[in-house]
């Protein structure tokens, strides 16, 4: 679970700092991404059932494929109409269909990132509740749960910090 959350953060930040800026559609997709992250992180509060524990890697796997598709769009223009594909001169009117594809992929990436986060913490917080704790006292169980949540939070932070180093803007000289 911890590795999945770490990977999910790495993929999300890599998507935002790698192929997405090259797609020239930064503001709208990033706003929608954060909206969908918020929506998916609120999913359990809205009554959506949690992802089963065995399917927890699925959001991260989907994020990997979103990163792959956005990288291909940035380098090969796989979603763009031939009229909008370089080295052709872009037309003065019309809208390229790649905008819709990139918007959809960014929304999917936001849903998967938020889902990985909320479901990982949900399962970590509930771990051990389904079996009997023979002879264990309450404070020990609380400390174990606190440690599990802390370790998961550390992996979440590590995933963000490991990519944040690469995103820093160099100081002006």
């Amino acid at each position: 679970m911890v590795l999945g959350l770490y990977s999910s953060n790495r993929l999300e930040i890599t998507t935002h700092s790698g192929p997405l800026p090259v797609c020239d559609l930064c503001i709208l997709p990033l706003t929608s991404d954060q909206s969908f992250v918020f929506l998916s992180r609120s999913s359990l509060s809205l009554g959506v059932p949690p992802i089963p524990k065995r399917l927890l890697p699925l959001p991260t796997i989907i994020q990997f494929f979103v990163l792959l598709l956005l990288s291909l769009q940035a380098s090969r223009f796989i979603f763009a109409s031939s009229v909008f594909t370089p080295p052709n001169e872009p037309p003065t009117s019309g809208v390229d269909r790649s905008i819709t594809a990139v918007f959809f992929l960014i929304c999917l990436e936001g849903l998967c990132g938020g889902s990985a986060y909320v479901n990982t913490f949900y399962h970590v917080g509930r771990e051990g509740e389904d079996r009997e704790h023979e002879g264990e006292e309450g404070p020990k169980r609380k400390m174990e749960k606190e440690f599990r949540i802390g370790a998961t939070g550390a992996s979440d932070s590590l995933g963000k910090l490991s990519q944040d180093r690469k995103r820093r803007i160099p100081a002006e000289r």
Side-chain angles (χ1 to χ4, degrees):
M1 285 190 282
V2 172
L3 182 61
L5 189 57
Y6 170 79
S7 300
S8 177
N9 279 319
R10 291 278 310 219
L11 288 167
E12 183 174 348
I13 293 170
T14 301
T15 300
H16 290 196
S17 61
L20 189 59
V22 178
C23 293
D24 290 333
L25 306 166
C26 254
I27 293 176
L28 180 63
L30 288 179
T31 304
S32 62
D33 170 67
Q34 293 307 308
S35 300
F36 279 85
V37 168
F38 175 76
L39 184 65
S40 63
R41 283 191 179 189
S42 304
S43 63
L44 296 178
S45 299
L46 297 172
V48 176
I51 295 174
K53 202 172 191 178
R54 69 181 188 284
L55 296 179
L56 273 180
L58 189 61
T60 305
I61 292 167
I62 293 171
Q63 281 184 301
F64 173 76
F65 285 110
V66 166
L67 175 62
L68 183 65
L69 288 171
L70 288 173
S71 297
L72 287 172
Q73 169 61 21
S75 63
R76 306 260 190 240
F77 306 100
I78 62 171
F79 300 119
S81 305
S82 60
V83 177
F84 289 91
T85 304
N88 296 337
E89 193 66 31
T92 56
S93 64
V95 178
D96 187 23
R97 67 176 180 234
S98 65
I99 293 171
T100 305
V102 170
F103 181 77
F104 171 76
L105 288 171
I106 291 302
C107 291
L108 180 62
E109 191 270 333
L111 282 174
C112 289
S115 180
Y117 180 88
V118 75
N119 283 289
T120 298
F121 275 101
Y122 173 82
H123 286 293
V124 165
R126 300 285 188 276
E127 194 169 292
E129 288 183 2
D130 55 346
R131 61 178 186 246
E132 287 293 318
H133 292 284
E134 299 170 14
E136 283 188 50
E137 62 249 19
K140 182 179 179 187
R141 286 178 33 201
K142 286 181 183 178
M143 285 178 22
E144 288 172 352
K145 181 178 180 177
E146 203 172 295
F147 176 78
R148 287 192 307 269
I149 290 174
T152 304
S155 78
D156 179 50
S157 298
L158 184 63
K160 291 176 183 167
L161 287 173
S162 66
Q163 281 297 101
D164 193 46
R165 295 180 301 139
K166 297 177 183 178
R167 293 176 46 188
R168 290 194 183 148
I169 299 171
E172 290 185 31
R173 295 176 195 230

